[in-house]
Each structure stands twice: as structure tokens, then as C-alpha cells.
Amino acid sequence: MSDPTATLIARLLAERWLPRDDHAVRQVLVDAELRDELDRRLAGAGLRLLEHPFAAHVAVGVARSQENDVFGSARAWAASNLQLDRDALALLVVLWSLLVLPKRQRQIARQESERQQDQEQMFAELKPVPVGQDMVEPINERTLIADFGDKLGGKFRINLSLGALQRHGFIVRRKERIAEGPLLDLAFDYERIASRVMDGALSFVVEQARATQAANADRIDDDAYDAYDAIDENETTEEAQADV
């Protein structure tokens, strides 16, 4: 006999994450009874569903009531069951702050703006808020190392940590660019962590990193503009020589 809830739980455990637009996931998220059944059965195994309305994926994690027994049984509190060292965890917080935090702020701002527009239009169509990684520019690895290398163990340690975070699905690396992976948006509770990042000690270094990213982007645009001018000037010179 088919058991859709058991199948979904098994898939989440086997695949570690599922896209939000997966048929079974979508059914659970819109059907209150199915969601209650899923939550009840996960809780029976000491687990909970990790999801956020603005996240592109869902996953399962340890239930809060079980965190102390699972992570606090050793001499030191274990931050996760992924065997990540302190440098990797610190880098994970930094990447979450640089990739997910600004994305979430834009999502919330867009939702509030559209809600105000909907109030002005009686029959306005409800538009979904974008949830993908394209809302935030990827991070340049060289910029990351320049900004945080002295704080996170240097280039070698950062590269090791980036490799570990990529294997676990937190980030995606392409051509020295770091983008959000399926699990990064689910790694931390936004409502609990966002204020600590924005108001805490990390706020200064994050703002510095963002400023560096913006400056690099402007410099790239200027270089591209200068290159375009040079190409245009060469083409004009060649055309003039051809006319002669």
C-alpha cells in the first residue's frame, strides 16, 4: 500500500534536499493535513522539516528538542553532524551573510512592495517572490580570501573549507565564483540569526566585504567600458584607413 508521507521522508533522507517545486513537496506545503502528518512522523524520529517560504529547497534536520542530546553529548558542543571544523563553520556563517541575508532582505522588501500595490488594486494578481540564487551576485573567491583570509586561516584553509561546504551542498563553485547551494538557505534560522549578524561583530566585516564586491564590480564595468572604447576606436581607425 502506497504511503506518500513515508516516501517523501525517505526521499528527503536519501537525497538530502528536494526542490520546493517538487510535486510531493508542493502538496505537503499547501495541504495543512499532509503537513501535520509529515511533522508528526518526523517528530517521532527526532527530526523536523527545514523550509522557508522564500527558500528554493526543503530538507530535514534534527528537532530542537533533540539538539542537546545529539550535539551536546560530547565534551564540546558539536555544531553539526557533518564534521565541519571551526574554520569551515565560520566561513559558512560568512557565506550565509553575504549570499542569503541580502537575498532575503530583497525578497521581504519586494513582498512588502507588492502587498502595498495589491492593496491599491482590488483584483491584482498575486505574484510569486523569486527564490533562486540569481537574486544575489556570486562571490569572487579571490575577494573572499582577500577579505577574510587572515581571519579564517589563510588561502589554503579557506580552499579546504570551500571544498567541504561544496560537498555538503551549501555552496556551488564555478570559475572561481561562489554561489548559493541548495542547503545554504536552510543552514540557519533567518529570524534568529539575521539580527545577530546585522547588529553583531560580523556586521562590520560583512559590510566591508560587500563594499569590496561592489567596488570590484564597478572596476570590471569600467574596464569593460574602456575595452569597448578601445575596440570602437580601432574599428574607426580601420574604417578611415579603408576609406583612404
Side-chain angles (χ1 to χ4, degrees), residues 84-203:
L84 297 176
D85 58 26
R86 295 180 63 183
D87 289 341
L89 289 172
L91 181 59
L92 180 61
V93 175
V94 169
L95 293 174
W96 183 87
S97 303
L98 294 175
L99 292 171
V100 174
L101 190 55
K103 181 190 75 168
R104 182 71 76 250
Q105 292 171 329
R106 292 176 187 177
Q107 289 170 323
I108 293 174
R110 175 165 177 170
Q111 186 184 53
E112 292 176 349
S113 175
E114 291 181 352
R115 185 182 295 115
Q116 293 176 355
Q117 293 177 3
D118 291 344
Q119 291 175 353
E120 297 173 359
Q121 302 175 12
M122 184 176 298
F123 300 104
E125 181 182 355
L126 185 62
K127 301 176 182 178
V129 177
V131 296
Q133 58 180 232
D134 297 334
M135 293 189 69
V136 177
E137 188 72 17
I139 300 170
N140 187 295
E141 290 190 12
R142 295 182 182 179
T143 302
L144 180 73
I145 293 171
D147 289 337
F148 298 99
D150 60 334
K151 303 175 182 67
L152 298 177
K155 180 179 179 180
F156 179 73
R157 293 293 304 172
I158 287 181
N159 277 322
L160 286 179
S161 297
L162 288 174
L165 296 180
Q166 182 179 27
R167 287 193 299 273
H168 289 302
F170 291 112
I171 60 172
V172 175
R173 302 170 75 187
R174 295 191 187 97
K175 298 179 179 179
E176 295 189 349
R177 296 277 180 167
I178 305 168
E180 174 191 341
L183 289 182
L184 186 61
D185 203 342
L186 304 172
F188 303 101
D189 186 337
Y190 174 82
E191 281 70 22
R192 295 173 60 192
I193 303 300
S195 61
R196 300 181 186 180
V197 171
M198 291 185 288
D199 301 332
L202 189 58
S203 61

